[in-house]
Each structure stands twice: as C-alpha cells, then as structure tokens.
Amino acid sequence: MKPKGFVRRTKQREAILQVLRGTKSHPTADWVYQEVRKEMPHVSLGTIYRNLRTLSEHGEIQELAYGSHHSRFDANSESHYHFICDSCGSVEDLDMPILHELEAKVEKLGNYEVFNHRLEFHGNCADCSEKESVQSDQH
Ligand code: ZN
Ligand code: MN
C-alpha cells in the first residue's frame, strides 16, 4: 500500500497542486510543467516530475500510469473510476460508487488481501462518438 503521510510543502509543490486542482483533465507531467512555468519561469521539467512522484508516493495526488503511455495526474487521490477515450485520449471521472463487493470476491478467489482496486472503462467519449457517427453518415 502507498505510504500516506505528511509531505513537506515547498513552493513548487504548492504550485503543482494548485495547477492539478484547477483542472479536470488529468494532465500529463508536461502539461503541468507548461502551466507551472507561467508562474515560475525557471522551474525545470525534472523538478516537476520529481515533485509529482513525491506527491503521489505520499498519497496527495494520484498517478494514472498507462503502460508505455505517459502517466496522467489527478489531484483527487481518493478511489474513483475513470473513462478513457481511445480516440482522443481524454480521461474523465465517472460519477459512480466504488464497487467494494469486487474486492471481497477477489479475496475469496485465493486467500488474497485486497487493499484497493483500479477500474477503467475504454471507448469513445461523447465528442468522439458524435464525430464518428457524423462521419459514418457521410459514407
Ligand atoms: Zn474522445
Ligand atoms: Mn480522476
């Protein structure tokens, strides 16, 4: 389980948290960097990466790692589900309760002790499915 606890607040970390809390887009480190740079022109991308890692290790934010793809970051560190658009790459929060019964089911499968789970739904977001249906109407 990820260690939770106090992480020292630095000016950079405060700026990163402010940027993350100001968006629902689950941005990449690079996007966070571009935003923080507007306030702190001398900050480096390496500093942003390091601080994002520290904040997520302390459970202050959530890192959504997508295999070989770039990680996305979420100011909401509580468990919640996401919808990933496979066409445009957008990541949206799903307003639905956590299915805790899944954890009990998995524990029964093999003497596991489940701490939490992550669940993602893939498909087309509303914009992309609208675009696709417009395109197929033209054919
Ligand atoms: Zn989309
Ligand atoms: Mn989220």
Side-chain angles (χ1 to χ4, degrees):
M1 202 162 46
K2 294 254 170 89
K4 286 216 178 197
F6 182 77
V7 57
R8 197 164 56 89
R9 290 298 175 88
T10 62
K11 252 175 87 176
Q12 286 103 331
R13 283 182 199 152
E14 286 297 343
I16 290 169
L17 284 173
Q18 210 179 323
V19 163
L20 273 185
R21 286 175 187 149
T23 179
K24 286 183 180 298
S25 69
H26 305 82
T28 61
D30 200 59
W31 190 90
V32 173
Y33 169 58
Q34 301 301 338
E35 289 300 304
V36 172
R37 222 163 57 145
K38 292 175 185 167
E39 303 297 320
M40 304 174 130
H42 300 296
V43 77
S44 72
L45 182 57
T47 299
I48 299 295
Y49 270 113
R50 244 188 340 271
N51 282 294
L52 283 168
R53 187 163 310 130
T54 303
L55 286 166
S56 74
E57 279 170 3
H58 285 80
E60 298 237 359
I61 63 170
Q62 196 172 155
E63 177 174 356
L64 308 172
Y66 296 117
S68 57
H69 297 82
H70 290 296
S71 284
R72 311 275 295 238
F73 294 89
D74 192 338
N76 181 359
S77 62
E78 299 298 318
S79 278
H80 59 283
Y81 297 141
H82 290 107
F83 185 89
I84 321 288
C85 177
D86 289 338
S87 298
C88 72
S90 69
V91 180
E92 292 173 14
D93 289 332
L94 291 174
D95 185 16
M96 63 184 277
I98 294 294
L99 303 167
H100 291 291
E101 61 271 28
L102 286 178
E103 300 184 357
K105 275 190 183 171
V106 168
E107 290 195 329
K108 278 186 198 132
L109 285 178
N111 261 330
Y112 301 119
E113 188 185 358
V114 177
F115 297 137
N116 53 55
H117 70 275
R118 185 173 147 188
L119 190 55
E120 297 176 342
F121 298 84
H122 286 261
N124 279 337
C125 70
D127 284 350
C128 289
S129 66
E130 197 178 320
K131 271 181 219 152
E132 272 193 11
S133 64
V134 169
Q135 272 170 358
S136 57
D137 284 351
Q138 289 167 344
H139 289 300

